[in-house]
Amino acid sequence: KAKLGSLARSYEVRVVQTFAPAEPIFKPEKGKTYFYENVGYSSNPSLKPEGFVNAKSSQFVIGDAQTKEIIVSNELPANLRSAVHTTMVSPDGKWIYIVSSKEGGIDDKATLRTSATVIKADALTLQPVKQFTIGGRFHHGQVFRDKYLLIDTFARDPDGLDIMLFDPETDTILGGVRDEELGGATYTAWTDDEFIYVLME
């Protein structure tokens, strides 16, 4: 059912806002491995401890990959919050990307299947540096050929892309495809650095 020939499409990223630089709150040690995580703002555990309340916003968390201990975290302003999902780190380790709010408003359950913005943050300050659009709500992402990020979306605008290659040096989309032209709804994409594979109907 896929269309034949090139399916390449483009999307122009639009910056919503930028943020002032901040001082580092994390200093990595040589030879150690760390993880970055977006912990979101809502949870519904089956067993709620006494006094349980949800966080006010999404948070960036850095942890020690060996000990699994949390080293430092930073909560975003509530107007930038969104549901927890993928956390992407640029190939050079300088930037973190997480899904942010729907443009012009805070995310809630009613808006989770709509397009959303992306927050780019400094990996050492955990402070946002930029909020921008990618034409969809990103779902999963991974490093592609040690230079780019491969992103798939959970929901998108009519002119958005379902799978795309993103350049973290310029914060631009190099190109991508739409699922209707692949022949069915897509769910996730991954790569072996030679090909891009897509799980779809």
Side-chain angles (χ1 to χ4, degrees):
K1 293 182 181 180
K3 290 188 176 180
L4 300 178
S6 175
L7 303 182
R9 296 277 191 158
S10 61
Y11 179 87
E12 291 294 321
V13 169
R14 184 171 44 80
V15 176
V16 176
Q17 64 178 320
T18 57
F19 303 87
E23 291 298 315
I25 60 172
F26 170 65
K27 185 176 181 181
E29 295 178 31
K30 190 174 182 178
K32 295 200 75 171
T33 303
Y34 303 94
F35 64 84
Y36 285 83
E37 188 68 40
N38 162 22
V39 297
Y41 73 94
S42 64
S43 178
N44 190 24
S46 56
L47 295 173
K48 294 183 181 178
E50 189 176 331
F52 172 84
V53 293
N54 275 313
K56 293 177 183 174
S57 187
S58 306
Q59 292 186 56
F60 288 111
V61 171
I62 303 175
D64 184 308
Q66 185 173 16
T67 67
K68 312 299 187 286
E69 293 175 311
I70 301 302
I71 298 167
V72 66
S73 66
N74 183 47
E75 189 174 72
L76 293 172
N79 66 325
L80 300 178
R81 78 182 190 197
S82 185
V84 62
H85 217 88
T86 294
T87 308
M88 295 187 298
V89 180
S90 60
D92 61 10
K94 291 181 180 178
W95 311 108
I96 320 161
Y97 298 87
I98 66 168
V99 65
S100 186
S101 59
K102 183 174 173 57
E103 189 173 0
I106 293 175
D107 270 12
D108 58 26
K109 287 183 180 177
T111 63
L112 292 182
R113 292 191 175 271
T114 62
S115 186
T117 60
V118 174
I119 286 289
K120 177 182 185 176
D122 186 297
L124 300 183
T125 70
L126 298 189
Q127 290 288 340
V129 296
K130 190 186 293 185
Q131 181 185 23
F132 57 88
T133 65
I134 60 166
R137 178 180 296 270
F138 87 68
H139 192 206
H140 302 113
Q142 69 179 99
V143 172
F144 179 75
R145 296 186 178 174
D146 293 327
K147 187 172 182 181
Y148 305 115
L149 296 171
L150 171 65
I151 300 172
D152 58 70
T153 56
F154 181 68
R156 68 165 169 87
D157 294 331
D159 64 340
L161 305 168
D162 291 287
I163 299 156
M164 67 193 83
L165 286 178
F166 180 83
D167 185 349
E169 286 288 323
T170 60
D171 291 330
T172 58
I173 293 170
L174 301 173
V177 293
R178 295 182 184 156
D179 60 8
E180 64 267 28
E181 294 175 344
L182 287 174
T186 58
Y187 180 75
T188 190
W190 67 98
T191 181
D192 59 7
D193 281 341
E194 183 179 2
F195 296 102
I196 293 171
Y197 302 89
V198 183
L199 180 65
M200 58 180 289
E201 345 177 84

